[in-house]
């Protein structure tokens, strides 16, 4: 029994202060009160294993009086005195009276000495005061309490019964029909009310008293003969007995309500625990996959061959096509499960779910962002490496060709330059040697470009990190060293020839002219052969057309080149004619050059053979570029359709999420149909992926026919799937909120209409000022005064706890329904357990198994700690700490609620019968 309003208590108790001394002189009333009060006291004392026989004698030492107060209040009184002396008895009675006074009861003319002396009038007055305070005062029916409340309860319960008119607590009960009506109203199977007669009060009274004692555990406090034989039965005795009916019938209903509340709380907690387990496992698996994948994507160690790099690119395609999409779906499902769990926890007024460290949604999003960042750089790196290797292969082949041609040209040049043939030569021979040397210098200068090209190619190969750079560098260094040596030898020989030049006068002009014209023509042919055999890399039709045009221009110069060839051969023929004519001792060779007509003719024939080969190579490459252009156009045509389609669907989903058409179930059905149509579009995405693969296999790196890349399409498609899934989840959460809070569809439409009206930018959220205007439109009194600003700040702390400056529609719905939410607090659960325990501070195993369904009873027994209070009994369990932990899953020991799925079940037979009453 808790605190009670002292003024109300005093007002009610005032009429009893004088205790109606005259009436107590009536032996009939005194007899009724003795029997009733004795039976009432014994109904409580038997819970402590004792009873009284004589009400004025058994309370004289104060021991049983203190025990009675402890039983009915559930509180511990001061330790009683165990002595037999009068002073000890008075002390015990005073402790009892002080306890009664502490409960707001004013005791008038009742002293401890009178109780100890066995004063019947005072003892009965004291017991009546106790009955008023602990059995009648707390009765409350429709804002009336105590006597008036009990009377109103009796009137309401007996109103449907004929011949029953309860107006007081004395003569209205003399015929016994009132007692029978109360029993029949709650337990109709115990009394056949239709057979009762108003003119047979003794039978009616005895029937009611016997049934109440046998089936309702209400002791027989009155005698039928005393009531019938008294003109006006004692009001206090009747009130005391009727209050026992009130507590008996109201207790059964409370027990059932308490058990149902416990079942409801247990079921909600069990469901939420499973959702927490599922989230933790899915988050752990996804984070582990990301942890394994990122190092693979961050590996930038290049391969030395095109085949190896292309294999890496194929592995990356498999990752994008086969491995990543299921993980994208898992991530989306994880967010949906998390949002659903948090919504359920909010709706049941439970603490928000806090995942394990490192497994928050933000942690997963951060890890996913790192994955996509590594993925983006990895594909770009692969393509760049393939281009680099392709360029390296081309440069390496070009280096080998030029180096081979140069090495072939320099073969024997050092030995020639070291000859000292000029020492024994004639003047004409010296002149010839000088001219020959001049021609060699001209040839040497002509080869300078090739040496520079070889060095430049070697440098580029080094800059591009060519894997065989050491051998290239060694060969290039050898060529450069040889070239420097040739330059030094050439300069030395020129100096020697110039010293003897004055001695030499005869020069064969024809040989000189031949040498001068043959050398550049020979270089031209070597250059032409080199160009005709040179490999080429093009990526567009324009590039191959440029090469074809250049080749046609080259072919146009062949007639002039043929004329030059014939002219050079003519010079050689003229030299031969002169030698034959003048018998010049030229030993049949040209002293100025080593180029023979046979070499010129041989190289010319080779050039003529290379021209059609070059034509064929250019034609084949032109056909390949045409095929590549068709692939570009084919990909561009599909991408230009799919890209805008995805954008249009994203905009349509955005409109659906803020517009109101039909019920939430209609919107959910519409969104699911929309989701199905989007999923059915997947084959077109797959077809585009196939075209993209053909483009990559053809090494096509750009496409002027579309601005959409496959990466754009993939990202847009993933965002579209994620957006429709999140939108469906939002509508499902709105349905869950509506059903849990009892919000009607009209209210939900009104909330949505108000929200959309103030959502000017259609962003799906409201700013603080928009939200304030929305609340005012719904009738909230939020002014600009300090009080109104403080109230609005409080509301904003509820709907925007993270202070993001925006209010979502889900937060708006939660707020609008929060005031009327039917929540179960830890205090309510604790109070429910206390009812099941019969107001004790502990509950026994038998009581749990009797009051709760078997599975949930065992669930509680396995988790409740033993009760350690001073009034503990064997098998007593502590339901208070269990109730606190039950409503705070986050603070309970790990595994506290796991693996115990339950569902609501029927109450026990006794409680079910009480409900039917």
């Amino acid at each position: 029994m808790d605190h009670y309003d002292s003024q109300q208590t005093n007002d009610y108790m005032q009429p009893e202060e004088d205790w109606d001394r005259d009436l107590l002189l009536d032996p009939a009333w005194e007899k009724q009160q003795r029997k009733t009060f004795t039976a009432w006291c014994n109904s409580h004392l038997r819970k402590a294993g004792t009873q009284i026989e004589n009400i004025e004698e058994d309370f004289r030492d104060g021991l049983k009086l203190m025990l009675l107060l402890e039983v009915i209040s559930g509180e511990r009184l001061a330790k009683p005195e165990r002595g037999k002396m009068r002073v000890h008895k008075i002390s015990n009675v005073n402790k009892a009276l002080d306890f009664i006074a502490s409960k707001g009861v004013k005791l008038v003319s009742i002293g401890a000495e009178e109780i100890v002396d066995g004063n019947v009038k005072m003892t009965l007055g004291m017991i009546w005061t106790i009955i008023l305070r602990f059995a009648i005062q707390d009765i409350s029916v429709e804002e009336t309490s105590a006597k008036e409340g009990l009377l109103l309860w009796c009137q309401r319960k007996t109103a449907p019964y004929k011949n029953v008119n309860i107006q007081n607590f004395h003569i209205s009960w003399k015929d016994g029909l009132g007692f029978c009506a109360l029993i029949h109203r709650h337990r109709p199977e115990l009394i056949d009310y239709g057979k009762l007669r108003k003119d047979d009060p003794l039978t009616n009274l005895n029937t009611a008293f016997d049934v109440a004692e046998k089936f309702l555990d209400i002791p027989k406090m009155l005698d039928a003969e005393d009531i019938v034989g008294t003109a006006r039965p004692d009001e206090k005795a009747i009130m005391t007995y009727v209050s026992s009916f009130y507590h008996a019938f109201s207790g059964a209903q409370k027990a059932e309500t308490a058990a149902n509340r416990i079942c409801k709380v247990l079921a909600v907690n069990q469901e939420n625990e499973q959702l927490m387990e599922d989230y933790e496992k899915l988050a752990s698996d996804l984070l582990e996959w990301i942890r394994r994948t990122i190092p693979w994507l961050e590996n930038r160690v290049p391969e030395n061959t095109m085949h190896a790099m292309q294999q890496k690119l194929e592995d990356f395609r498999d990752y994008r096509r086969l491995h990543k999409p299921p993980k994208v779906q898992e991530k989306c499902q994880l967010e949906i499960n998390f949002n659903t769990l948090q919504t359920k926890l909010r709706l049941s007024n439970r603490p928000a779910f806090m995942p394990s460290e490192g497994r928050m949604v933000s942690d997963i999003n951060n890890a996913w962002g790192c994955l996509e960042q590594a993925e983006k750089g990895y594909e770009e790196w692969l393509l760049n490496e393939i281009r680099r290797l392709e360029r390296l292969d081309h440069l390496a082949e070009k280096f080998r060709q030029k180096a081979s041609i140069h090495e072939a040209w320099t073969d024997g040049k050092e030995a020639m330059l070291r000859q000292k043939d000029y020492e024994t030569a004639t003047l004409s021979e010296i002149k010839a040697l000088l001219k020959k040397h001049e021609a060699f210098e001209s040839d040497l200068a002509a080869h300078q470009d090739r040496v520079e090209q070889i060095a430049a190619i070697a440098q580029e190969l080094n800059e591009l990190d060519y894997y065989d750079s050491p051998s290239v560098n060694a060969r290039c260094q050898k060529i450069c060293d040889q070239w420097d040596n040739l330059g030094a030898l050439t300069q030395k020989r020129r100096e020697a020839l110039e010293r003897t030049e004055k001695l030499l006068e005869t020069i064969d002009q024809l040989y000189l002219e031949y040498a001068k014209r043959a050398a550049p023509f020979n270089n031209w042919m070597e250059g032409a052969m080199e160009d005709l055999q040179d490999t080429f890399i093009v990526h567009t039709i324009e590039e191959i057309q440029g090469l074809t045009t250049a080749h046609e221009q080259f072919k146009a110069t062949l007639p002039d080149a043929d004329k030059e060839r014939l002219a050079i051969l003519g010079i050689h023929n003229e030299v031969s004619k002169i030698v034959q004519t003048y018998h010049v001792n030229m030993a049949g060779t040209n002293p100025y050059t080593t180029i023979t007509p046979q070499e010129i003719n041989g190289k010319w024939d080779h050039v003529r053979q290379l021209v059609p080969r070059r034509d064929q190579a250019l034609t084949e490459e032109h056909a390949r570029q045409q095929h590549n252009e068709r692939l570009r156009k084919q990909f561009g045509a599909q991408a230009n359709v799919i890209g805008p389609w995805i954008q249009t669907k994203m905009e349509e989903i955005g409109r659906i999420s803020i517009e109101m058409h039909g019920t939430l179930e209609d919107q959910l059905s519409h969104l699911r149909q929309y989701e199905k149509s989007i999923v059915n579009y997947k084959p077109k995405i797959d077809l585009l992926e196939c075209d993209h693969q053909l483009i990559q296999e053809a090494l096509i790196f750009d496409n002027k026919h579309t601005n959409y890349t496959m990466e754009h399409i993939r990202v847009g498609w993933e965002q579209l799937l994620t957006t429709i899934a999140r939108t469906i989840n939002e509508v499902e959460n709105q349905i869950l909120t509506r059903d849990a809070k009892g919000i009607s569809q009209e209210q939900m439409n009104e909330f949505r209409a108000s929200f959309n009206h103030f959502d000017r930018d259609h962003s799906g959220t409201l700013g603080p000022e928009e939200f304030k205007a929305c609340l005012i439109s719904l009738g909230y009194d939020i002014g600009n005064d300090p009080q109104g600003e403080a109230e609005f700040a409080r509301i904003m702390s509820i709907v925007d706890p993270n202070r993001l400056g925006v209010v979502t529609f889900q937060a708006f719905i939660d707020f609008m329904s929060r005031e009327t939410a039917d929540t179960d607090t830890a205090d309510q659960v604790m109070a429910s357990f206390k009812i099941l325990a019969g107001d004790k501070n502990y509950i026994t195993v038998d009581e749990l198994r009797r009051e709760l369904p078997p599975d949930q009873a065992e669930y509680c027994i396995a988790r409740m700690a033993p009760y350690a209070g001073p009034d503990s009994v064997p098998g007593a369990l502590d339901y208070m700490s269990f109730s606190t932990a039950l409503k705070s899953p986050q603070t309970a020991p790990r595994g506290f609620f796991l693996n115990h799925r339950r569902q609501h079940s029927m109450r026990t037979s006794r409680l079910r019968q009480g409900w039917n009453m």
Side-chain angles (χ1 to χ4, degrees):
M1 302 297 179
D2 296 329
H3 295 293
Y4 187 79
D5 187 273
S6 61
Q7 183 60 43
Q8 181 179 353
T9 303
N10 293 335
D11 292 344
Y12 177 73
M13 298 296 293
Q14 189 64 36
E16 307 297 332
E17 289 181 356
D18 296 335
W19 233 90
D20 207 4
R21 293 176 175 82
D22 296 334
L23 292 178
L24 279 177
L25 299 176
D26 186 336
W29 284 25
E30 181 178 332
K31 177 182 178 183
Q32 292 178 15
Q33 288 184 9
R34 278 174 177 273
K35 181 168 184 176
T36 301
F37 291 177
T38 300
W40 184 87
C41 292
N42 285 333
S43 70
H44 292 286
L45 287 173
R46 68 184 178 183
K47 298 177 182 177
T50 186
Q51 63 179 7
I52 62 173
E53 300 294 338
N54 191 310
I55 195 167
E56 68 271 19
E57 293 294 330
D58 292 347
F59 284 140
R60 290 180 62 185
D61 60 1
L63 295 177
K64 289 188 177 181
L65 178 59
M66 294 180 68
L67 181 60
L68 173 65
L69 290 174
E70 287 185 349
V71 171
I72 63 178
S73 68
E75 300 181 21
R76 178 71 67 180
L77 273 67
K79 185 176 180 180
E81 300 288 346
R82 294 295 179 180
K84 302 296 184 178
M85 299 176 65
R86 177 180 176 82
V87 66
H88 296 144
K89 297 178 181 180
I90 292 175
S91 175
N92 290 337
V93 174
N94 274 327
K95 290 177 183 179
L97 295 179
D98 290 342
F99 178 79
I100 296 172
S102 70
K103 297 303 179 180
V105 179
K106 183 178 180 182
L107 297 171
V108 179
S109 302
I110 299 178
E113 293 81 359
E114 296 169 311
I115 303 300
V116 173
D117 292 339
N119 187 312
V120 177
K121 178 178 65 176
M122 294 304 170
T123 302
L124 292 176
M126 177 188 65
I127 297 301
W128 173 241
T129 301
I130 294 173
I131 293 172
L132 280 175
R133 175 58 183 86
F134 293 101
I136 298 177
Q137 179 177 306
D138 289 339
I139 295 175
S140 178
V141 178
E142 296 186 4
E143 300 182 358
T144 62
S145 60
K147 179 179 178 180
E148 289 78 5
L150 182 60
L151 183 61
L152 179 59
W153 178 77
C154 294
Q155 291 171 344
R156 293 292 174 84
K157 295 297 181 180
T158 60
Y161 293 87
K162 65 180 180 178
N163 298 326
V164 178
N165 183 17
I166 304 299
Q167 298 298 326
N168 49 55
F169 287 107
H170 37 82
I171 61 174
S172 294
W173 302 86
K174 287 190 63 174
D175 58 7
L177 292 178
F179 295 110
C180 293
L182 283 178
I183 296 174
H184 186 268
R185 180 65 181 269
H186 294 88
R187 297 288 297 275
E189 78 280 5
L190 299 180
I191 292 179
D192 187 354
Y193 188 84
K195 294 183 179 180
L196 300 177
R197 302 196 318 274
K198 185 175 180 65
D199 57 358
D200 190 4
L202 283 177
T203 301
N204 298 339
L205 289 168
N206 284 324
T207 299
F209 296 162
D210 293 340
V211 169
E213 184 176 27
K214 182 177 180 181
F215 296 102
L216 302 180
D217 198 24
I218 298 175
K220 189 174 183 180
M221 301 181 185
L222 301 171
D223 284 330
E225 293 78 6
D226 292 342
I227 295 176
V228 174
T230 305
R232 186 174 183 269
D234 181 59
E235 184 179 50
K236 299 175 181 60
I238 298 294
M239 284 181 62
T240 301
Y241 188 54
V242 172
S243 68
S244 298
F245 283 89
Y246 173 85
H247 291 295
F249 292 134
S250 64
Q253 183 174 355
K254 289 180 181 178
E256 182 173 4
T257 302
N260 288 336
R261 178 176 286 113
I262 292 172
C263 293
K264 175 183 176 183
V265 173
L266 292 174
V268 170
N269 276 275
Q270 290 163 353
E271 180 182 0
N272 291 340
E273 287 165 15
Q274 186 60 44
L275 287 175
M276 294 176 191
E277 275 190 77
D278 295 343
Y279 175 90
E280 290 285 348
K281 184 178 185 307
L282 191 58
S284 298
D285 294 345
L286 184 59
L287 287 171
E288 177 62 20
W289 178 81
I290 294 174
R291 184 190 66 77
R292 294 196 311 269
T293 305
I294 288 179
W296 174 67
L297 294 173
E298 291 178 343
N299 181 15
R300 299 293 193 272
V301 178
E303 300 291 343
N304 293 330
T305 63
M306 281 284 290
H307 175 73
M309 289 305 299
Q310 287 174 344
Q311 183 59 46
K312 278 194 171 188
L313 182 61
E314 184 62 26
D315 294 341
F316 181 73
R317 291 198 194 103
D318 290 341
Y319 157 79
R320 293 297 300 271
R321 186 173 57 251
L322 302 176
H323 304 301
K324 184 182 177 183
K327 299 302 177 182
V328 173
Q329 182 63 30
E330 288 181 13
K331 177 176 177 291
C332 178
Q333 188 61 44
L334 186 70
E335 294 177 357
I336 290 174
N337 290 351
F338 182 83
N339 292 335
T340 300
L341 174 59
Q342 298 294 43
T343 298
K344 289 185 176 181
L345 291 174
R346 280 199 310 273
L347 293 177
S348 58
N349 199 25
R350 286 160 171 76
F353 170 60
M354 183 64 63
S356 303
E357 182 177 359
R359 297 177 184 173
M360 297 286 290
V361 173
S362 58
D363 296 326
I364 295 173
N365 288 334
N366 291 337
W368 191 266
C370 295
L371 175 73
E372 294 190 331
Q373 186 63 31
E375 175 183 323
K376 179 180 179 182
Y378 188 72
E379 184 175 23
E380 183 178 355
W381 174 77
L382 285 175
L383 297 177
N384 289 335
E385 276 301 307
I386 290 175
R387 294 191 187 100
R388 185 181 69 84
L389 290 175
E390 186 180 31
R391 173 68 176 164
L392 285 173
D393 289 344
H394 171 68
L395 289 176
E397 181 61 25
K398 193 171 185 178
F399 174 85
R400 286 191 289 271
Q401 287 184 5
K402 288 185 177 293
S404 298
I405 293 173
H406 177 78
E407 288 168 349
W409 177 83
T410 58
D411 185 32
K413 294 297 189 292
E414 290 185 4
M416 180 195 71
L417 293 173
R418 288 191 174 93
Q419 289 179 359
K420 297 185 178 181
D421 51 344
Y422 55 86
E423 293 180 350
T424 58
T426 62
L427 182 59
S428 59
E429 290 175 340
I430 293 299
K431 293 288 186 180
L433 290 175
L434 185 58
K435 296 299 181 183
K436 181 180 179 181
H437 190 73
E438 290 176 355
F440 173 77
E441 288 181 328
S442 177
D443 196 9
L444 187 67
H447 281 79
Q448 178 68 32
D449 290 339
R450 181 177 289 111
V451 174
E452 292 175 355
Q453 291 175 5
I454 291 172
I457 294 173
Q459 178 64 26
E460 188 172 359
L461 287 171
N462 278 279
E463 292 174 354
L464 294 177
D465 197 21
Y466 182 55
Y467 76 97
D468 199 21
S469 293
S471 63
V472 171
N473 292 337
R475 191 172 184 181
C476 180
Q477 187 62 43
K478 181 178 179 182
I479 290 173
C480 291
D481 292 343
Q482 186 184 41
W483 183 256
D484 293 338
N485 192 32
L486 285 175
L489 292 174
T490 300
Q491 183 63 26
K492 183 177 180 180
R493 183 172 178 81
R494 167 171 283 282
E495 292 174 354
L497 290 173
E498 287 178 349
R499 286 195 299 269
T500 59
E501 184 179 8
K502 295 179 181 179
L503 302 176
L504 303 175
E505 297 177 355
T506 305
I507 299 173
D508 190 344
Q509 295 296 330
L510 292 175
Y511 269 157
L512 182 59
E513 184 179 0
Y514 174 88
K516 289 182 177 181
R517 298 181 67 174
F521 184 74
N522 182 65
N523 287 337
W524 176 85
M525 287 191 297
E526 289 179 350
M529 289 188 294
E530 182 178 346
D531 292 337
L532 290 172
Q533 296 180 87
D534 187 20
T535 58
F536 52 85
I537 298 176
V538 295
H539 299 290
T540 64
I541 291 180
E542 290 76 11
E543 291 177 356
I544 191 62
Q545 289 175 345
L547 291 177
T548 303
T549 301
H551 183 62
E552 293 300 324
Q553 293 174 353
F554 167 77
K555 289 196 293 184
T557 64
L558 290 179
D560 293 336
D562 192 35
K563 291 180 181 179
E564 179 66 12
R565 180 183 67 85
L566 294 176
I568 292 172
L569 294 178
I571 294 173
H572 180 75
N573 293 334
E574 188 175 356
V575 168
S576 299
K577 182 178 180 181
I578 293 174
V579 168
Q580 293 175 359
T581 301
Y582 296 100
H583 305 288
V584 177
N585 187 18
M586 300 301 295
T589 60
N590 191 330
Y592 303 113
T593 183
T594 59
I595 301 173
T596 64
Q598 292 77 11
E599 287 181 272
I600 293 175
N601 287 331
K603 291 180 179 180
W604 176 256
D605 292 338
H606 192 201
V607 169
R608 295 297 299 272
Q609 293 172 1
L610 291 175
V611 169
R613 296 179 187 174
R614 185 72 168 186
D615 288 337
Q616 182 179 358
L618 291 173
T619 301
E620 292 174 354
E621 182 60 25
H622 189 271
R624 190 175 75 87
Q625 289 302 322
Q626 285 180 328
H627 175 261
N628 290 350
E629 187 66 8
R630 286 193 298 272
L631 290 178
R632 290 188 183 96
K633 290 180 179 179
Q634 181 176 336
F635 177 88
Q638 295 187 65
N640 289 337
V641 172
I642 293 175
W645 181 87
I646 291 176
Q647 182 63 31
T648 299
K649 294 302 179 183
M650 290 288 287
E651 294 172 357
E652 291 176 358
I653 292 172
R655 288 196 299 271
I656 291 174
S657 66
I658 65 174
E659 292 176 354
M660 294 187 303
H661 295 296
T663 65
L664 290 176
E665 284 77 8
D666 295 337
Q667 296 177 29
L668 182 61
S669 176
H670 187 196
L671 286 171
R672 292 196 185 281
Q673 294 176 359
Y674 217 82
E675 181 185 37
K676 183 177 181 181
S677 66
I678 291 174
V679 172
N680 291 338
Y681 202 80
K682 184 64 166 58
K684 295 186 179 180
I685 303 295
D686 296 337
L687 182 61
L688 190 64
E689 284 280 6
C690 294
D691 292 343
H692 178 64
Q693 181 174 352
L694 294 176
I695 285 178
Q696 288 196 328
E697 290 173 353
L699 300 179
I700 300 173
F701 305 108
D702 54 9
N703 191 345
K704 65 182 180 180
H705 299 294
T706 181
N707 292 326
Y708 294 97
T709 66
M710 197 62 225
E711 180 64 22
H712 293 154
I713 299 298
R714 291 190 192 109
V715 171
W717 177 251
E718 293 171 359
Q719 290 178 348
L720 180 60
L721 292 178
T722 301
T723 299
I724 186 65
R726 286 175 177 169
T727 303
I728 290 174
N729 179 246
E730 289 176 0
V731 175
E732 289 174 339
N733 285 339
Q734 291 175 22
I735 293 174
L736 185 61
T737 301
R738 183 199 65 191
D739 295 340
K741 303 298 185 178
I743 301 174
S744 66
Q745 185 63 45
E746 290 74 16
Q747 288 176 312
M748 185 66 72
N749 290 341
E750 180 184 358
F751 292 157
R752 170 55 81 180
S754 299
F755 188 93
N756 289 346
H757 176 74
F758 291 96
D759 184 15
R760 308 296 187 187
D761 56 356
H762 303 295
S763 63
T765 60
L766 298 180
E769 292 303 319
E770 293 174 333
F771 178 60
K772 185 175 183 180
C774 182
L775 289 178
I776 293 173
S777 73
L778 290 174
Y780 278 80
D781 185 12
I782 302 176
N784 294 323
D785 56 293
Q787 183 178 0
E789 293 294 336
E791 176 63 11
F792 182 68
R794 182 190 69 80
I795 295 175
M796 282 299 294
S797 68
I798 296 174
V799 299
D800 184 21
N802 296 324
R803 298 186 178 180
L804 301 179
V806 295
V807 179
T808 65
F809 182 68
Q810 184 62 43
F812 175 73
I813 290 299
D814 288 345
F815 169 75
M816 295 304 296
S817 59
R818 186 179 302 274
E819 296 295 334
T820 60
D822 182 16
T823 58
D824 300 312
T825 66
D827 290 338
Q828 289 176 317
V829 176
M830 193 180 302
S832 299
F833 272 116
K834 190 167 186 178
I835 291 172
L836 297 186
D839 289 336
K840 298 191 297 294
N841 293 328
Y842 60 85
I843 190 167
T844 65
V845 172
D846 292 338
E847 288 172 335
L848 284 173
R849 288 173 174 163
R850 184 177 67 247
E851 302 296 343
L852 296 181
D855 58 341
Q856 295 183 338
E858 297 304 323
Y859 180 86
C860 295
I861 292 169
R863 284 159 178 75
M864 282 188 183
Y867 178 69
D871 54 343
S872 175
V873 299
L877 300 176
D878 184 1
Y879 62 78
M880 294 184 180
S881 59
F882 176 78
S883 300
T884 302
L886 187 64
K887 292 301 293 180
S888 303
Q890 291 298 95
T891 63
R894 187 162 183 81
F896 190 79
F897 296 99
L898 302 184
N899 301 320
H900 290 279
R901 292 183 172 275
R902 300 287 191 272
Q903 62 182 2
H904 291 293
S905 64
M906 296 293 291
R907 293 285 292 117
T908 61
S909 175
R910 183 179 65 80
L911 292 180
R912 182 166 61 250
Q913 292 170 352
W915 174 258
N916 291 334
M917 288 188 292

